[in-house]
């Protein structure tokens, strides 16, 4: 496949958990960081978590302490463990990759490869 593909989304209730996966592609195999993005008010895409090859992570304030990003470099796969989900976490989650360090990877301008998203819906 040419582009990464996210999976694992679904409909859950507030307080529940989900684990997203992103199968990397040939276009992400050599990229330094991978990250997760979702829409937010006023922004088409907001970076919420990123991780680089060394394992350094970065998170948006809105998800710190609730979401955990990880990656398996050998399998070129990215994960996002989401806990204590809230209704404002609802959205399409996309994975992406680029060549900068994790903290810069939260900025969509540094992303070079975008993947197919997966929908997360949190409602009572």
């Amino acid at each position: 496949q040419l582009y990464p593909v996210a999976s694992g989304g679904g409909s859950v209730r507030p307080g529940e958990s989900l684990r997203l996966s992103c199968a990397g592609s040939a276009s992400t195999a050599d990229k330094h960081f991978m990250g997760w993005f979702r829409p937010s008010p006023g922004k088409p895409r907001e970076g919420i978590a990123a991780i680089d090859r060394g394992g350094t992570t970065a998170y948006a304030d809105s998800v710190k302490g609730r979401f955990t990003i990880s990656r398996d470099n050998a399998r070129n796969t990215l994960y996002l463990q989401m806990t204590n989900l809230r209704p404002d976490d609802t959205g399409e989650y996309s994975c992406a990759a680029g060549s900068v360090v994790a903290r810069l990877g939260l900025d969509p301008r540094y992303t070079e490869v975008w993947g197919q998203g997966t929908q997360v819906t949190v409602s009572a």
Side-chain angles (χ1 to χ4, degrees), residues 33-115:
F33 90 87
M34 293 186 74
W36 291 96
F37 294 76
R38 70 183 184 192
S40 70
K43 300 179 183 178
R45 283 168 172 161
E46 173 192 30
I48 58 170
I51 184 169
D52 61 32
R53 285 193 170 274
T56 300
T57 58
Y59 295 93
D61 289 342
S62 59
V63 305
K64 277 182 183 176
R66 300 188 299 123
F67 291 9
T68 301
I69 189 171
S70 61
R71 68 189 289 178
D72 184 332
N73 291 329
R75 297 184 177 185
N76 194 21
T77 301
L78 182 70
Y79 303 98
L80 186 68
Q81 179 67 48
M82 306 187 293
T83 63
N84 194 20
L85 283 161
R86 309 184 308 213
D88 61 358
D89 292 319
T90 294
E92 182 172 291
Y93 285 67
S94 301
C95 54
S99 302
V100 297
V101 297
R103 63 179 177 82
L104 293 178
L106 293 178
D107 186 336
R109 294 175 297 178
Y110 292 104
T111 299
E112 299 167 34
V113 180
W114 289 99

